[in-house]
Amino acid sequence: MSWTSLQVRALRLEAADVLGVELALPGNAALPFSWTPGAHVDLRLGNGVVRQYSVVSLPEHGHVYLGIKREPASRGGSQWLHEHLRLGARIEVGPPRNLFAVQPGDGPVTLVAAGIGITPLLPMYRACQRQGRPVRLLYFSRDAQALPLLQPLDAGIEWYSGLRAPQIAECLGQRLSTREAHASVYCCGPAGFMDCVQQTALAHGWPADALHREHFQPAVAAVPAAQGCTLVLQRTGCEVRVNAGESLMQAAARAGVALPVSCGMGICGACVSRVIEGDPEHRDECLSEAQRTSGEWIAPCVSGCRGARLVIDA
């Protein structure tokens, strides 16, 4: 992966536990990459870890803006950023990737966010508005005073605060009760919330292929395969035995081949590889259902093989 060293140009406390971070090149030089709404970037932090965060800004803003929630059970990413990031500091940023883009077309778009799940959906909302595409954004927050990243120009957003789970389900039922032609739903937030959005939409007749979501954490922790297989890395000409309880990536590393990796949880898509031969057993959250069904792709950091042999383009 190529990295770009960006400078911290602004820090804002968007909410009590949400830090807004503006990253740019010195002198307002043009960024060496672009992105589409819903994209995320890798940050390589000073403590050695790599973490992924959704990009809130649009390319025309000329900078990368992130909203980073300090997680109580931080694995070393959000906590480090909240405690150590300073104005003027440099941080390495990977090229944007987008596994959550708004699908092309002119059909109505409904965006449903909870908490920090607003980060990928807010740029989608603004981009749809600029394109003249029908769009609405439903934003659920625990606290009416804690609405990070919203500005006066976002006055049209429908926001709900302090609702309990049954009330959220009732509200979603009302807002998703009918579907216009070619309409789609995109949601992001805690896993239970996203499950509620999907179940509610399906119950009201929305087709599954019109529903999209993005995870910040795996919905279910990936369980390593109980039996092994043979992994063939075609481009490197390497063949290695994957032991029971070992990931494909771990086996490749043991054989001296470093596959690309970032989150290591099957979320970010950095490790996705093409399958040449074999039957993948998917345990990721980044591939679409169509990609999984095709059998042509695999996220080797968490996924495995149902058969005895798997050949990937690596």
Side-chain angles (χ1 to χ4, degrees), residues 199-230:
Q199 292 164 9
T200 301
L202 291 172
H204 285 87
W206 289 71
D209 61 4
L211 308 178
H212 312 270
R213 59 166 142 182
E214 180 170 64
H215 290 273
F216 287 144
Q217 295 289 338
V220 178
V223 178
Q227 63 181 29
C229 69
T230 297

Side-chain angles (χ1 to χ4, degrees), residues 17-56:
D17 58 352
V18 177
L19 179 66
V21 180
E22 183 177 311
L23 303 172
L25 285 171
N28 291 324
L31 293 171
F33 49 68
S34 187
W35 63 93
T36 52
H40 65 269
V41 292
D42 295 301
L43 297 186
R44 188 153 63 181
L45 310 184
N47 59 354
V49 305
V50 175
R51 293 291 182 265
Q52 297 74 40
Y53 297 99
S54 296
V55 182
V56 180

